[in-house]
Amino acid sequence: MKKKAFSWRAFISIGLFIAFLMLFVSGIVLFFAPPGRIANWTNWEILGLSKPDWQNQHTLFGLAFIILSIFHLFSVNWKAFWSYIITKTHDGLGRPIEIFSILFLALLFGIGTQLKIQPFSAVIDFGEFLSASWEEPQQSPPVPHTERMTLREVAERFTRGRSPESLQEKLEMAGIAAPSLDQTLESIARENNTSAQKVYELLGIDTSPKSGMGKGQGKNRR
């Protein structure tokens, strides 16, 4: 039986389908994923991937889709493709209603989304509602993005008279390795296969208003 030659056209077509599928799935996941301050704090995952993981997948497969699309364009006879475009463009000019209709809709979607006009704002608001629904008082960090603080910063921000070394020792007694005082809670959690929330809880810090809670880094969905 004669061995078939490697088909770049089939390779590119299948690659485009896979890239599109990953963009579709990751786009849906990121649409309803919790804000970063919650996702990173609680080690939120879906299908074994965290929110940053899904963001990375979405970005990389988006780039792959663009690259494969360019290769797909040049995998056909360029002259034939250009001739096809010219022919279809000429035919399209004979249908001005369709051309102006799609251009109008494209502008409407772009401007409507930017200005948050209904019904586009409803879709955006629904996504934010789904994201906010993950947030519960007992799961919220003392200030937004506490997971990005180092042990030194946590000691300075939330404790009275306790040194960073004492926090480090407390974690190590609980079986959590924290070799550096300049490690963030997120980094410590990742290296110990737990969440930043759990690491913070092990520190035994009082997070009542008198403990020094204040404004953090603001609302950040990443």
Side-chain angles (χ1 to χ4, degrees), residues 1-6:
M1 182 176 178
K2 186 178 180 180
K3 186 177 179 180
K4 293 183 179 180
F6 187 85

Side-chain angles (χ1 to χ4, degrees), residues 7 11 21-22 36 45 59 71 76 79 107 113 117-118 129 133 153 184 201:
S7 173
F11 172 83
L21 185 62
M22 281 300 299
E45 291 184 350
T59 299
F71 275 99
V76 298
K79 291 183 179 180
L107 286 172
T113 301
I117 300 173
Q118 290 288 5
F129 168 77
S133 66
E153 292 170 334
T184 63
E201 289 173 352

